Amino acid sequence: MKIILNLVIVGAILLIFGSDHSALAACTIMGATGTATIGRRVFLASTSDNPYLEGPRKPVCVTIPKEGGYKFVHTPCLIKDTSGELVNIGSDRGMNETGFSWTRSWVVPKEMENPYKLDAVDWFLKMGAKISTVDEAIKFVKENPKGIGAQGNYLFADINGNMAVVEVGYKTVTVAEKFSIKDNGIAARANRWETDTMIPLDDSKRGNSIHFDSSEFRYHRAMKLLKDNASQIDLETMKKIISDRTPDPDAPHEKSISNHGLLSGTVSTEIYDPLNRTFWYTYGWPDGEVDNVDSVIFGENKNSWGKWIPFVLTELNEEGYYTDWAGNITPLGAKYLGR
């Protein structure tokens, strides 16, 4: 798999999707910890909703930093350019060998980018290699200069059961909620900011009104499901919640958590289990329902797995891609699964 890490090309490809980057703008993220879970564990979960045909898509990759740092499994967001080459624009889902986990949903800020911003690819590579706790992650997003690809809603979790929701603009960063293993911790976000500090800075509706409006439904639906299952949440519960297909009756093809939209929808989903250092991944629609699939419309989503594969950090000993852009298991992935 050839990946181009060229900022000029990245900028050009993003322009294909519009200056508001609306093609990257529909994800649901959620988490639970403490007494909300069975055994006082912590879990995160996330969907990636993007256009079915042109992407972006997020295959599973393992990075072993050559200059020191933590090994981590993550999902580089790859966009195909007009020649079919794949461009990496950053890994906003991942877990490292300490159990530190991160996920993000896209929000557009009314702020200027920092001129000394880190490239989004480097931002997430640094996060995966250097961070081990929620507190370190909060410090990271506050102190590192931010530009396009670093902003949005973040959920962080660590091996000790800590979890945080952090709303990140280019300049303004708000820690919305923090939970410890002692709390009844549940949280969710979609593609808008929810805190009084950040709402005035949110320009997402102008960027993509459909995804912004759907965020209200997806946020409240996720929170309801988490509340309804509080004290009983485990891995299987998180799989069920993140695969929920209950639609908003006003837009049944756009607003469900597991989104079977007509032209864009859920193309991959993750669940993070820090205690067991396990990053669960499924390609395509997480509910496993493949109905009326037409490759002309749904593209590679016709390859939806309908099952979850665990990527266990202690067993991921080789660097590289374990799945590809179209949801196929690579030779490296087959070698891992064969073990």
Side-chain angles (χ1 to χ4, degrees):
M1 181 180 297
K2 184 177 180 181
I3 301 170
I4 304 171
L5 297 177
N6 184 302
L7 295 178
V8 175
I9 297 178
V10 169
I13 297 303
L14 286 174
L15 287 173
I16 294 173
F17 297 97
S19 60
D20 52 43
H21 316 297
S22 58
L24 310 175
C27 304
T28 307
I29 61 178
M30 63 184 72
T33 192
T35 60
T37 69
I38 296 173
R40 297 200 178 202
R41 296 167 61 185
V42 62
F43 299 99
L44 301 182
S46 52
T47 65
S48 294
D49 287 10
N50 288 313
Y52 295 128
L53 292 178
E54 65 267 35
R57 291 181 183 265
K58 299 179 179 180
V60 176
C61 181
V62 171
T63 293
I64 303 173
K66 295 177 175 60
E67 297 180 357
Y70 305 119
K71 172 178 65 176
F72 56 100
V73 57
H74 55 121
T75 56
C77 185
L78 305 182
I79 297 176
K80 281 188 175 181
D81 70 10
T82 53
S83 69
E85 299 286 0
L86 294 173
V87 180
N88 181 3
I89 61 170
S91 302
D92 59 2
R93 285 107 169 83
M95 172 189 289
N96 70 25
E97 61 186 309
T98 72
F100 169 71
S101 302
W102 72 92
T103 187
R104 181 195 64 150
S105 60
W106 191 270
V107 185
V108 179
K110 294 178 183 175
E111 294 185 318
M112 296 296 292
E113 297 180 70
N114 189 308
Y116 304 104
K117 65 188 178 184
L118 284 175
D119 166 58
V121 173
D122 295 333
W123 170 274
F124 289 107
L125 291 177
K126 185 176 179 180
M127 183 180 291
K130 300 298 183 182
I131 305 301
S132 63
T133 70
V134 165
D135 285 341
E136 289 177 2
I138 292 170
K139 183 178 179 182
F140 177 91
V141 298
K142 285 182 175 180
E143 294 184 354
N144 281 277
K146 292 167 286 293
I148 191 73
Q151 87 296 339
N153 280 316
Y154 282 84
L155 282 180
F156 298 127
D158 64 32
I159 189 65
N160 295 316
N162 300 304
M163 183 174 75
V165 187
V166 188
E167 299 184 347
V168 179
Y170 297 141
K171 296 180 180 177
T172 310
V173 174
T174 298
V175 180
E177 296 177 285
K178 282 184 69 177
F179 305 96
S180 76
I181 203 70
K182 299 177 181 179
D183 297 321
N184 182 37
I186 57 172
R189 285 294 188 273
N191 304 102
R192 64 177 196 175
W193 284 322
E194 302 293 340
T195 62
D196 291 342
T197 302
M198 300 300 288
I199 286 172
L201 302 176
D202 194 335
D203 203 26
S204 301
K205 189 175 182 67
R206 185 183 66 83
N208 190 307
S209 61
I210 293 174
H211 291 158
F212 181 83
D213 292 342
S214 77
S215 292
E216 181 176 7
F217 176 82
R218 290 181 284 121
Y219 166 68
H220 289 294
R221 177 64 180 167
M223 287 300 296
K224 181 181 187 304
L225 292 171
L226 291 167
K227 289 177 182 176
D228 288 349
N229 289 277
S231 80
Q232 297 298 314
I233 295 173
D234 60 7
L235 176 65
E236 294 307 313
T237 306
M238 290 300 282
K239 287 180 180 178
K240 183 177 180 180
I241 293 174
I242 200 66
S243 302
D244 180 71
R245 198 175 166 186
T246 300
D248 183 328
D250 293 333
H253 296 295
E254 292 292 344
K255 295 189 177 181
S256 57
I257 293 172
S258 174
N259 181 6
H260 287 239
L262 298 179
L263 297 175
S264 65
T266 303
V267 295
S268 60
T269 308
E270 306 81 26
I271 293 176
Y272 314 67
D273 179 1
L275 182 63
N276 291 308
R277 313 295 203 280
T278 302
F279 182 83
W280 292 82
Y281 177 89
T282 187
Y283 181 89
W285 294 299
D287 52 61
E289 296 183 27
V290 183
D291 46 12
N292 302 316
V293 170
D294 182 344
S295 61
V296 174
I297 298 173
F298 298 116
E300 297 301 336
N301 249 46
K302 67 183 183 296
N303 193 29
S304 288
W305 289 358
K307 64 178 66 176
W308 295 83
I309 291 180
F311 292 88
V312 184
L313 264 297
T314 55
E315 300 175 7
L316 299 172
N317 299 319
E318 295 182 76
E319 186 172 67
Y321 280 85
Y322 285 62
T323 71
D324 69 12
W325 188 89
N328 301 303
I329 303 297
T330 65
L332 182 57
K335 184 178 178 181
Y336 162 74
L337 293 174
R339 294 197 298 267

